[in-house]
């Protein structure tokens, strides 16, 4: 078993996460894909003007900066859940209110470089954790937000969630 291979899980996936899981390549190269999508995101952010990063396509929608901070917050939470479950802690974990997190994150008061530095640290930490897991740990289960989840599913969701939001940025923010 190559510990650096993390395959897309074939078992149950809660409906809320199915769209994210569908975006994950099924080749076991999750760690590479996580590095690549981060690099692509960093390149995209570096190409955008400050006004583009602070643009919301409709009233009440997030800016690109809000999305980037949301990606950091959500990744931390997904990895925290995976950590707990991988260590055989099956305590049911609560959900989180992403709108509340976004409201108090102050993303639009921050420089893009600062957000991306934080995101880079989060991603590097996530990958370091993922590299420490064996196949048995990837299969361990727990419950979060009343959904049964495996560690492997949570790790794949990190990529799928990131990809989902990058797709939204391209479709709704950059096609004006």
């Amino acid at each position: 078993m190559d510990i650096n291979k993390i395959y897309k899980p074939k078992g149950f996936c809660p409906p809320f996460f199915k769209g994210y899981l569908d975006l994950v390549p099924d080749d076991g190269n999750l760690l590479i894909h996580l590095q690549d999508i981060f690099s692509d995101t960093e390149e995209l952010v570096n190409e955008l003007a400050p006004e583009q990063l602070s643009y919301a396509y409709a009233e009440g929608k997030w800016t690109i900066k809000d999305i980037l901070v949301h990606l950091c917050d959500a990744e931390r939470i997904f990895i925290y859940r995976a950590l707990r479950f991988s260590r055989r802690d099956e305590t049911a974990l609560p959900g989180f209110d992403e709108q509340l997190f976004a409201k108090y994150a102050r993303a639009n008061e921050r420089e893009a470089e600062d957000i991306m530095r934080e995101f880079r640290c989060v991603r590097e930490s996530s990958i370091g954790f993922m590299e420490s897991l064996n196949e048995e740990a990837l299969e361990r289960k727990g419950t979060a937000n009343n959904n049964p989840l495996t560690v492997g599913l949570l790790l794949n969701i990190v990529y799928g969630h990131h990809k989902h939001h990058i797709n939204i940025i391209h479709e709704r923010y950059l096609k004006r």
Side-chain angles (χ1 to χ4, degrees):
M1 153 81 187
D2 180 354
I3 62 171
N4 288 322
K5 288 284 192 180
I6 300 174
Y7 290 93
K8 186 157 87 168
K10 303 292 185 209
F12 173 77
C13 178
F16 178 78
F17 289 127
K18 179 140 180 26
Y20 300 148
L21 190 61
D22 289 346
L23 296 172
V24 179
D26 196 12
D27 59 6
N29 293 318
L30 180 65
L31 299 174
I32 293 168
H33 296 306
L34 285 166
Q35 292 168 341
D36 289 348
I37 197 171
F38 179 82
S39 294
D40 293 347
T41 301
E42 194 167 42
E43 186 177 312
L44 173 66
V45 169
N46 289 337
E47 292 172 357
L48 297 176
E51 59 273 6
Q52 289 175 294
L53 293 165
S54 299
Y55 166 76
Y57 67 89
E59 181 72 30
K61 295 297 183 182
W62 293 345
T63 66
I64 292 175
K65 285 183 177 181
D66 287 323
I67 291 170
L68 294 169
V69 173
H70 166 70
L71 288 170
C72 291
D73 289 349
E75 184 162 333
R76 283 184 171 113
I77 291 167
F78 297 146
I79 294 298
Y80 173 73
R81 291 170 176 174
L83 170 67
R84 296 275 304 260
F85 302 159
S86 74
R87 304 302 196 247
R88 294 190 186 268
D89 181 350
E90 295 181 15
T91 304
L93 301 175
F96 71 103
D97 183 340
E98 63 187 30
Q99 295 298 331
L100 184 68
F101 276 48
K103 180 179 178 180
Y104 291 101
R106 304 176 12 269
N108 294 298
E109 298 173 24
R110 297 172 63 189
E111 296 296 324
E113 296 80 18
D114 177 53
I115 293 169
M116 291 308 296
R117 181 189 57 77
E118 177 187 0
F119 196 178
R120 185 178 312 103
C121 290
V122 169
R123 181 57 51 89
E124 288 175 3
S125 177
S126 296
I127 289 172
F129 167 69
M130 291 178 192
E131 289 172 335
S132 77
L133 300 173
N134 63 19
E135 194 169 334
E136 179 186 348
L138 294 174
E139 296 298 322
R140 291 187 186 133
K141 298 176 183 171
T143 302
N145 198 25
N146 298 312
N147 289 298
L149 304 167
T150 65
V151 172
L153 175 62
L154 285 163
L155 302 186
N156 277 270
I157 293 306
V158 170
Y159 175 87
H161 180 253
H162 188 155
K163 181 69 172 170
H164 164 77
H165 282 289
I166 291 303
N167 290 347
I168 288 176
I169 289 171
H170 284 290
E171 293 165 8
R172 299 184 188 163
Y173 292 78
L174 301 180
K175 290 205 174 182
R176 301 188 275 153

